[in-house]
Amino acid sequence: MRVTIADVAREAGVSKTTVSRVINAKGEVDGSTAARVREVIATLGYVPSSGAVGLARGSSRTVGMLVPSLTWPWMGEVLQGVVDTVEAADYGLLLFTCNRGAESVERFTSQVSARAFDGLVVVEPENTLDHLTALHRGGLPIVLIDDRGHHPEFPSVVTTNHEGGASAARHLLAAGRTRPLVLTGPQHFGCVRDRLDGFRTVLQTDLVVHGDFTERSGRQAVEQLLAEGAQFDSVFAHNDISAAGVLRALRAAGRSVPDDIAVVGFDDIPMAEHTEPPLTTVRQPTRQMGETAARLLLSHLGGTATPDGPVVLPTELVVRLSAP
C-alpha cells in the first residue's frame, strides 16, 4: 500500500500542512520538527506524488549515507567521522543500509527521488556502483569511501593499502620472519590486491590463502595448513577479524604467538588491542576517512570543485605483542 502524506503526518505527530512545507521547503518550520519529518519520510519510504514539488536540491541541509551494513567492524568509526563533520556544519544525516538487498536499494532510491537529501556519502554495497554512477550522472553529488579499486568517476577517499602491506612485510622481515602465510580477503577487492602486492614487493611468498574477512576463514585456514604440515613462521591477515581467527587456531594448536609464529592484521579496529596477545596491525584512519569524505561532499555542496583523483590517507603500522 502506498505511503501517503497523512501517514507521514501521523507518524511525525504534525499536520499535513507541516509535512508539505518540509517537502517543498516553504514556510517556517522549526528545525527539529523538519528533521523529524524527514526522518519519518525516510523510514516509511514516502515518495511525493507527481503533483508535489520535490525538495529543492541544496535546500534540505541533509546528507545521505549509504552503507552495506552497520555490522562491519570499522563502520562505526567511519560513521562517527561523517556524523561529527555534518553536524558541525549544521546538516542532518539520513543513514541507509543494504541489509535487505534489493528491497533496501529500492527504499534508498525512493528517497533520492523524493530529494530527501542534498548529497551522498557511500561505503559501496556489493553490486551498486553502476546504480550510484547513474545517480551521479543524474546530478546527485556523491563521495565514495574505500573505492575497492573501482576508481569511480566521482570523488573518493582511499588509504595506502599497497604501502600498508609493504609495512607489514618490512616489520616481519626485520624480525627475522622469512616464511610468511598471507591470508587475504575477497580477491575481487582492489584493496586486497594492493595489500598482497605491497607485501610481496618486500617479502615473497607463495603461501597465500584467499579468505573472506571473517574470523572463521582465518581460523580454518590455519587449522588446515597446520594439519597438512605447512611450514610458516608468520601470518599477515588482511583484516583484524580474520587475524583473530588465526590467533585462536594457533592457540588451540599449542603454537606460541609470537615465539613460534608472529601475526599481523590490518585495520586496527578497537578489538585489536584486546586479543590475546594484543594484535600488531596496520591502522587505517577510519574516522578520518569519514570526516574527509563528509568535508569533500559539503565543500562541493558549497560550490567548491572536487578533486580529480581520489584523496589518499596514509596507513600506519601499530606494533603490539603478536609481532613485536
Side-chain angles (χ1 to χ4, degrees):
M1 181 179 297
R2 182 182 176 87
V3 178
T4 68
I5 195 170
D7 296 326
V8 175
R10 182 170 55 254
E11 185 69 20
V14 298
S15 68
K16 289 190 291 185
T17 300
T18 297
V19 175
S20 179
R21 286 174 175 168
V22 172
I23 292 172
N24 292 286
K26 292 183 177 179
E28 293 185 1
V29 179
D30 175 73
S32 61
T33 300
R36 184 168 73 252
V37 170
R38 293 192 190 100
E39 183 177 354
V40 171
I41 287 173
T43 300
L44 297 182
Y46 171 67
V47 179
S49 65
S50 58
V53 179
L55 285 173
R57 183 76 71 199
S59 66
S60 74
R61 295 197 68 81
T62 300
V63 167
M65 184 172 183
L66 176 66
V67 302
S69 170
L70 294 178
T71 60
W72 283 24
W74 48 263
M75 191 62 71
E77 284 293 300
V78 171
L79 176 59
Q80 192 63 57
V82 173
V83 168
D84 290 345
T85 304
V86 300
E87 287 187 348
D90 198 27
Y91 271 69
L93 181 71
L94 287 178
L95 179 64
F96 304 91
T97 71
C98 280
N99 289 322
R100 297 185 178 181
E103 180 184 342
S104 297
V105 173
E106 182 178 353
R107 175 67 61 85
F108 160 72
T109 302
S110 73
Q111 297 309 300
V112 177
S113 301
R115 297 187 176 181
F117 50 88
D118 303 333
L120 184 67
V121 174
V122 180
V123 178
E124 181 199 340
E126 285 284 333
N127 303 315
T128 60
L129 185 58
D130 288 346
H131 182 55
L132 294 169
T133 300
L135 292 175
H136 170 71
R137 290 173 179 172
L140 180 66
I142 298 177
V143 177
L144 184 64
I145 297 173
D146 186 9
D147 70 4
R148 301 185 189 172
H150 290 161
H151 308 298
E153 61 187 53
F154 43 83
S156 62
V157 177
V158 301
T159 58
T160 52
N161 286 292
H162 188 279
E163 170 56 27
S167 68
R170 283 194 296 268
H171 182 71
L172 291 174
L173 187 59
R177 311 289 177 158
T178 58
R179 302 192 310 273
L181 159 66
V182 178
L183 177 62
T184 80
Q187 297 180 67
H188 62 280
F189 284 5
C191 63
V192 167
R193 296 191 297 271
D194 288 346
R195 291 171 194 178
L196 179 57
D197 289 347
F199 188 91
R200 280 175 160 167
T201 61
V202 176
L203 188 54
Q204 279 294 326
T205 181
D206 293 324
L207 191 56
V208 176
V209 177
H210 298 293
D212 60 6
F213 284 149
T214 64
E215 189 273 348
R216 182 176 64 179
S217 71
R219 174 168 43 85
Q220 290 181 341
V222 169
E223 288 173 348
Q224 180 175 341
L225 288 170
L226 291 177
E228 294 172 352
Q231 299 296 312
F232 53 96
D233 59 11
S234 52
V235 181
F236 172 43
H238 277 196
N239 76 336
D240 293 341
I241 293 295
S242 58
V246 169
L247 291 173
R248 181 179 176 185
L250 291 172
R251 185 166 56 249
R255 302 297 180 93
S256 174
V257 177
D259 294 341
D260 297 329
I261 299 175
V263 179
V264 178
F266 206 106
D267 285 337
D268 196 29
I269 62 175
M271 178 203 73
E273 291 186 87
H274 305 292
T275 57
E276 182 55 45
L279 185 64
T280 294
T281 187
V282 179
R283 174 181 293 159
Q284 289 203 96
T286 46
R287 184 172 296 205
Q288 187 182 354
M289 291 164 71
E291 293 171 349
T292 302
R295 281 198 301 269
L296 282 174
L297 182 60
L298 293 174
S299 295
H300 177 70
L301 295 176
T304 301
T306 54
D308 293 333
V311 175
V312 182
L313 302 179
T315 53
E316 174 190 3
L317 184 73
V318 179
V319 178
R320 300 191 180 99
L321 294 181
S322 71

